[in-house]
Amino acid sequence: MSKEQRAQIDAMLRQPRPEGPRSVEAIRAGFEALMAKMIVPDNIRTTRTTLGDRPALRVEPGDGPRAGTILYFHGGGWVYGSPESVLSLTGHLVAKTGFGAYSVDYRLAPEHPFPAAIDDALSAYRALLDRGQDPSAIAFAGDSAGGGLTVTTCLAARDAGLPLPAAVVTFSPGLDATRTGESMDTKEGIDPILTRKSVEHTGAMYLAKHDPHQPMLSPAVLADLTGFPPMLIQVGTNEILLDDSTRLAARARAAGVDVILDITADVPHVFQSFAGVLDEADQALDRAALFLAQHVRGGTNQPRAMTSPPSVLSY
């Protein structure tokens, strides 16, 4: 682990930004520019396709996928982001597991507020099942807002009477639209990316005046997770959303769900994006790949490559 790497990334993320609320167009452009700097593995191939009634990006290992599918939901506060912007994440998961992935281009707020993203994610999952894919060979994965979608899509699938996927992997998920986690205040200023003001700004676009006190908007504090598949929740200590993860893990344990809460010290929101630059990012993705290989039918209990042994996990 490198203190210097963490310091350099923190400094880069703290570079001055325009004061005051930014337009949706500016937020989207800024995020795409940041994520374009991330390292995407060479040994993958991508194809634009459709899944359900939405565009999607198919991501496969260069030598072809083995059995198993990752259904990925990108981050971006439900307002920005795209399958291409998170290719450093989907690409590394695909390269490390050998599974193929679909990254869903779900509709974004404010043009399409809640529950459009959940509807699109559920439609994509239905499409995989309608194609004959066994749910035991499907895993949900996602980051930030997309991490929240891994949970709410499971809730929606369960409510619709659909079988649930084999596993859920979520990176720095956004799981509480009520913004009541203590880390929203205790990590303010420590988090180099997000502030309460910034998440409330984009969150209001997604909420569109809906009451946040409902499971589909605040699953970390209100959802019944009974029957959920095994979950891996990865988060950093320098995040205002830290308590979204810790409280979801507590609810999962209380519901009898197998859950691993994997907390890494002194790293920012969705630190896994910095794979190839930050040692902790590569190590976390190794752990995620191992988790997927152990739970998704078609896995071999070992990912294709491990850059380092797994570190101690927090349960």
Side-chain angles (χ1 to χ4, degrees), residues 1 3 19-20 35 60 84 91 100 108 151 162 181 201 214 245 248 252 307 312:
M1 299 183 187
K3 187 176 295 185
E19 294 291 332
M35 298 305 291
E60 298 177 307
E84 287 78 11
L108 299 176
V151 177
L162 298 177
H201 178 53
Q214 52 181 298
S245 291
L248 184 80
T307 59
V312 176

Side-chain angles (χ1 to χ4, degrees), residues 172-188 191 196 218-222 233-251 253 261 263 269:
S172 301
L175 299 161
D176 179 19
T178 70
R179 311 299 181 196
T180 54
E182 289 185 7
S183 58
M184 287 293 299
D185 298 314
T186 60
K187 299 298 180 178
E188 182 85 11
D191 190 323
R196 176 182 283 275
S218 301
V221 292
L222 294 169
I233 306 168
Q234 292 187 342
V235 67
T237 61
N238 288 6
E239 301 196 44
I240 63 171
L241 298 184
L242 172 61
D243 284 352
D244 286 31
S245 291
T246 59
R247 289 176 297 161
L248 184 80
R251 294 189 73 82
R253 285 195 299 269
L261 176 61
I263 301 176
H269 187 62

Side-chain angles (χ1 to χ4, degrees), residues 7 9 52 61 117 177 205 244 246 255 265 287 311:
I9 289 171
M205 298 181 202
D244 286 31
T246 59
R287 297 194 294 274
S311 65

Side-chain angles (χ1 to χ4, degrees), residues 9-26:
I9 289 171
D10 188 87
M12 183 268 286
L13 294 173
R14 291 182 186 278
Q15 290 180 358
R17 283 174 268 183
E19 294 291 332
R22 293 183 295 161
S23 68
V24 171
E25 293 75 17

Side-chain angles (χ1 to χ4, degrees), residues 45-60 69-71 83-84 101-106 124 127-128 131:
R45 62 189 184 204
T46 63
T47 309
R48 293 295 302 182
T49 184
T50 58
L51 192 61
D53 53 4
R54 291 300 302 164
L57 189 69
R58 175 65 171 167
V59 187
E60 298 177 307
T69 297
I70 300 168
L71 185 58
E84 287 78 11
Y102 288 96
S103 187
V104 183
D105 197 358
Y106 58 86
L128 291 180
R131 292 178 185 181

Side-chain angles (χ1 to χ4, degrees), residues 4 6 139 154 302:
E4 292 76 18
R6 296 195 301 266
C154 275
Q302 288 292 329

